Amino acid sequence: TQQVTFYEAVGGEETFRRLVHRFYQGVADDPLLRPLYPEEDLGPAEDRLRLFLIQYWGGPNTYSSQRGHPRLRMRHAPFVIGEAERDAWLRHMRDAVDELELPEELDTMLWNYLTMAAQSMVNAHT
Ligand code: HEM
C-alpha cells in the first residue's frame, strides 16, 4: 500500500508557500503582531515557518537541517504571547487556510493542529 503524506495530499510545497505567504501578509499589517517580529524583512521568518510546517506534515526535513530541533516553545520565549496574540495569529492563519480551499477533512486536520500549536505557544496573559 502506498503512503501519501498530508504534505503530498494538500499539494506539496506550493500549497505551503501560498499558506504562509498569505499568513504573513496579514501579520505585516497587524498592529499587535508586527512589532513582535525582530526583523524589518518578514521574508526570512516566512521561510522558517514554511519549512517547519512542510517538515511537520511529512515533506522534506530542510527546516531541521537549517535550524536544528524545532524547540518551538523555547524559541518563542523571547516574545510576549498571550491570548490576544494567539487569537490574532490564528485569525490570519484562518484567512490563509480558507484561501487554500482544501477538502473538508484536510482543512480540519490542519486547523486542529494550528489551534493546538498556537495554544501551546502562549506564555503570558494579555
Ligand atoms: C518564529 C510569533 C505561533 C512557528 C516566530 C517569531 C515570532 C513568532 C515573533 C520570530 C520570527 C522569526 O522567525 O524570526 C508567534 C506568535 C504566535 C506564534 C505571536 C502566536 C501563538 C506559532 C505556531 C507555530 C509557529 C503555532 C507552529 C505551528 C514558528 C517557527 C518560527 C517562529 C517555525 C521560526 C523558529 C526558528 O527556527 O527560529 N514566531 N508565533 N509559531 N514561529 Fe511563531
Side-chain angles (χ1 to χ4, degrees), residues 2-69:
Q2 204 164 350
Q3 298 290 331
V4 174
T5 61
F6 182 92
Y7 170 75
E8 291 166 324
V10 297
E13 173 171 13
E14 171 64 15
T15 298
F16 286 89
R17 198 168 280 283
R18 284 165 56 211
L19 175 71
V20 176
H21 186 69
R22 177 69 182 75
F23 170 74
Y24 271 107
Q25 286 181 331
V27 169
D29 290 331
D30 189 306
L32 184 66
L33 294 185
R34 184 61 186 88
L36 294 180
Y37 289 80
E39 292 174 287
E40 192 186 327
D41 180 7
L42 287 174
E46 181 174 326
D47 291 343
R48 289 189 276 270
L49 180 56
R50 184 183 65 257
L51 291 174
F52 171 79
L53 290 173
I54 284 173
Q55 173 172 303
Y56 177 85
W57 290 106
N61 295 333
T62 314
Y63 175 84
S64 280
S65 354
Q66 293 183 0
R67 304 291 292 164
H69 190 287

Side-chain angles (χ1 to χ4, degrees), residues 24 33 36-39 44-45 48-49 52-53 63 67 70 72 75-76 79-81 85-86 89 113-114 117-119 121-122:
Y24 271 107
L33 294 185
L36 294 180
Y37 289 80
E39 292 174 287
R48 289 189 276 270
L49 180 56
F52 171 79
L53 290 173
Y63 175 84
R67 304 291 292 164
L72 284 189
R75 290 192 205 262
H76 287 76
F79 315 114
V80 173
I81 302 177
E85 288 77 12
R86 174 200 65 198
W89 193 99
Y113 167 73
L114 291 168
Q119 179 57 40
M121 241 53 92
V122 171

Side-chain angles (χ1 to χ4, degrees), residues 108-119:
T108 301
M109 282 175 72
L110 180 57
W111 187 244
N112 285 349
Y113 167 73
L114 291 168
T115 50
M116 176 278 294
Q119 179 57 40

